[in-house]
DNA sequence: TGGACATGTTCATTATAGTAAACTTGTTTC
DNA sequence: GAAACAAGTTTACTATAATGAACATGTCCA
């Protein structure tokens, strides 16, 4: 980005995708509809506070409005169960991990399907600060240990935890278990 | 963040960590040193363009200056299968949706467990631009339609698609199906 | 001690962000 | 087809962001 961000189109797109009129957004944001109109057509150079109010009215992060990068291509990425992805699958100690998410989005979000044989365990080192894991138990039951805390969860349960400390997932039962895991890498500032 | 961002301290910190004087930063950014002084002490409400110029002078991303968020708490949020979350569950046309993710992170990432009775369909309006959906089929098989494209996926399959256009998931079989769905609202960069 | 310089702040002015109200341009309804 | 409404635009004005110049506050060295 080597020119100040032109945020008009962003706001316009978000507003119309939400089917909001200028009047409604004006009410919700506290910014006059005249100003909204001019900002959307880039006739004006809004203050940070104003853009922030608009972001709030749209229920969006401030940065989403300031972002002028092009939209990503409309893709349709398939990762079929049958197709082996050799480098993406590991199997040890009765735990096998299939990486669901495509490689090009590895930075932000990763998704795994983790299968546990009876009496198996997956132990993980601390990740970067701010990283979160989202577990959904698809089959069976597992025990999750995060630092001091631990929880037993069963099929259909959902669990979120911050995993910048040591953590592990254990299948202590005599039945296999399957867990859907999403890892989000929040980029740490400061 | 429920108040407009106070960016003065951010700029001040970055400037002094770089050992730049107001004069030098003024030259590098093209913003008058008087303005810089007032912005750093939050006496004033700068425009986006001005803050952008400063970010450029500091050789920093715009968002780095606007960011005032604290780090998230280290939590351990549980959402058990048995516990009903009445407002968060909808059921119609043979499709029932359970929202897995806690409410406080709804902005960025949402996770659902969607159950399809035989011959049922979930149709969705376009979401915000940049939004992606990540499907993992937990049980049965479904057909996903996104704009022109469509795909048939079965248990264990994983599918990513951009969903800022109309899209739908259909269970055309005589068996029930369950899909794990992650929706990401973050606008994708590059 | 008192220039000489360098840093950040305040002042007076100009440019423009932001507003309310008037205007324009549809679209619906009788 | 005109009245009534609703959505966005333009206008006239006010509030304030942004500027350059003057001012204040050091610190360094003769």
């Amino acid at each position: 980005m080597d020119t100040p961000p032109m945020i008009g189109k962003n706001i316009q797109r978000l507003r119309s995708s939400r089917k909001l009129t200028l009047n409604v957004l004006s009410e919700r944001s506290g910014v006059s509809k005249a100003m909204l109109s001019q900002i959307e057509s880039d006739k004006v150079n809004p203050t940070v506070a104003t853009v922030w109010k608009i972001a709030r009215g749209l229920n969006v992060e401030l940065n989403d409005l300031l972002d002028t990068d092009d939209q990503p291509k409309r893709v349709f990425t398939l990762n079929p169960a049958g197709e082996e992805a050799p480098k993406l699958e590991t199997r040890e100690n009765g735990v096998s991990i299939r990486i669901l998410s495509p490689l090009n989005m590895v930075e932000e979000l990763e998704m795994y399907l983790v299968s546990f044989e009876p009496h198996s365990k997956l132990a993980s080192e601390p990740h970067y600060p701010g990283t979160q894991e989202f577990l959904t138990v698809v089959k069976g039951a597992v025990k999750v240990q995060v630092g001091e805390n631990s929880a037993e969860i069963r099929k259909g349960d959902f669990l979120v935890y911050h995993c910048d400390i040591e953590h592990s997932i254990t299948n202590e039962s005599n039945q296999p278990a399957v867990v859907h895991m999403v890892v989000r890498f929040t980029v740490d500032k400061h």
Side-chain angles (χ1 to χ4, degrees), chain A residues 13-82:
Chain A
R13 202 176 46 232
L14 284 165
R15 179 173 66 86
S16 54
S17 82
R18 256 151 249 227
K19 302 197 173 43
L20 300 177
T21 67
L22 288 182
N23 273 311
V24 174
L25 181 55
S26 172
E27 270 189 5
R28 292 181 42 160
S29 63
V31 175
S32 71
K33 97 174 152 169
M35 196 72 245
L36 291 175
S37 171
Q38 297 182 70
I39 291 173
E40 285 191 353
S41 42
D42 292 318
K43 291 206 178 78
V44 101
N45 215 328
T47 62
V48 170
T50 297
V51 178
W52 178 86
K53 286 192 213 160
I54 297 171
R56 200 186 203 209
L58 289 169
N59 211 27
V60 161
E61 288 296 317
L62 176 55
N63 196 41
D64 293 337
L65 297 187
L66 302 175
D67 206 353
T68 57
D69 294 339
D70 326 44
Q71 291 306 310
K73 294 272 177 282
R74 192 156 290 159
V75 288
F76 210 52
T77 306
L78 182 58
N79 198 349

